[in-house]
Amino acid sequence: MTSVVPSFELVPGAGESPVILHVPHSAREIPADVRAGIVLDDAALERELDHIVDAHTAELAERAAVLSAVTPWRFVNRLSRLVVDPERFPDEREEMLAVGMGAVYTRTTDRKVLRPAETDPEPLLARYFRPYARAMTEAVAERLAVAGRAVIVDVHSYPSAALPYELHGGGPRPPVCVGTDAFHTPPDLLAAARAAFGETGVDSPFSGTYVPLEFYGRDPRVSALMVEIRRDTYMTEPGGPAGPGLERLASALAALVDAVSR
């Protein structure tokens, strides 16, 4: 684990592309000073990363970008979500606070202690969360200025069996779950995802989308959906290598990018 990995990276796409592939949970890296605040020993931390990381999703997005007719932009978190989770609300609006998984996690996937409950989240929010949010806001604003619209496709994965932290883990677990938002996910975007991926479910076991707060619920030019891929369809669980399913999914993601780039 290292402290020199950049927090995030915006990988340029085609100038005319409205699409941003957002990959927030693919990394395992934790800076040394952040690691010092985590109470797990090294072996337990590696096991937790196996369960919580959306393994190979950065590779999936990269491969899809190569396959796409119009190259999408990619915004990739280069640090583990155990540093901060950029997709959580940083305040009491976040429902995952109920299980110790707000923007700064204090509990693990099996609800054990990750950080002391009295941990002050503010230093991590200031150092990592807010710069990430600003950069993503700027990336979306640039797509609006250049392309006239922005389409955020959130690239995630999830385990085939529910983990104890999941608040809504009792529902269907389809090969691909598409998370939607009533304001930001128009019907044609959802239809394009279903056409690209085939067998999909909607908003189970995970729902919603990621849109920077400056635009959230305000700007209909920003559309978004979340793509949650069940891990057993493309990798060995938990935290193992990718398999041949990754290439098939990259082709499907590229088809979605192409459909919404027109």
Side-chain angles (χ1 to χ4, degrees):
M1 296 181 184
T2 176
S3 59
V4 299
V5 175
S7 296
F8 51 81
E9 181 181 8
L10 177 62
V11 183
E16 70 273 22
S17 174
V19 180
I20 300 173
L21 297 180
H22 182 220
V23 188
H25 294 157
S26 65
R28 298 177 71 96
E29 297 296 330
I30 301 174
D33 59 332
V34 180
R35 169 67 181 97
I38 292 174
V39 303
L40 303 180
D41 63 29
D42 288 347
L45 178 56
E46 289 302 314
R47 287 194 298 272
E48 178 64 11
L49 288 167
D50 285 344
H51 288 293
I52 200 67
V53 169
D54 292 350
H56 314 295
T57 51
E59 179 185 352
L60 172 63
E62 181 178 10
R63 182 62 182 147
V66 171
L67 294 171
S68 299
V70 179
T71 305
W73 295 64
R74 288 180 286 132
F75 195 102
V76 185
N77 189 3
R78 296 303 185 188
L79 295 180
S80 168
R81 64 197 290 191
L82 298 184
V83 179
V84 296
D85 190 331
E87 294 210 312
R88 301 287 198 242
F89 287 112
D91 51 35
E92 68 282 349
R93 289 173 292 177
E94 180 52 60
E95 72 167 354
M96 295 302 291
L97 283 170
V99 289
M101 288 186 165
V104 176
Y105 295 1
T106 58
R107 292 279 172 169
T108 65
T109 50
D110 57 357
R111 302 199 182 195
K112 294 179 181 176
V113 175
L114 179 76
R115 291 183 175 93
E118 64 273 14
T119 297
D120 179 8
E122 180 54 34
L124 291 174
L125 294 176
R127 183 177 176 186
Y128 297 109
F129 185 94
R130 294 193 186 97
Y132 189 108
R134 284 194 298 270
M136 185 65 179
T137 299
E138 290 167 2
V140 172
E142 183 184 23
R143 291 301 88 213
L144 290 175
V146 175
R149 61 191 179 103
V151 183
I152 302 169
V153 178
D154 227 11
V155 184
H156 290 263
S157 70
Y158 75 100
S160 56
L163 293 171
Y165 83 94
E166 294 182 26
L167 294 178
H168 310 288
R173 303 180 81 82
V176 176
C177 162
V178 179
T180 68
D181 177 85
F183 186 89
H184 290 284
T185 310
D188 59 342
L189 180 54
L190 177 57
R194 285 174 152 165
F197 286 101
E199 186 180 353
T200 59
V202 178
D203 291 328
S204 176
F206 299 98
S207 63
T209 64
Y210 175 79
V211 175
L213 291 177
E214 181 172 320
F215 308 104
Y216 184 68
R218 301 176 183 178
D219 195 332
R221 297 176 301 163
V222 180
S223 58
L225 60 78
M226 176 171 64
V227 176
E228 288 269 5
I229 301 165
R230 205 178 66 214
R231 291 176 189 158
D232 64 337
T233 66
Y234 75 93
M235 62 173 284
T236 301
E237 296 183 272
L246 190 74
E247 188 67 22
R248 175 183 56 80
L249 289 162
S251 296
L253 183 56
L256 172 59
V257 170
D258 288 342
V260 301
S261 296
R262 292 193 286 265

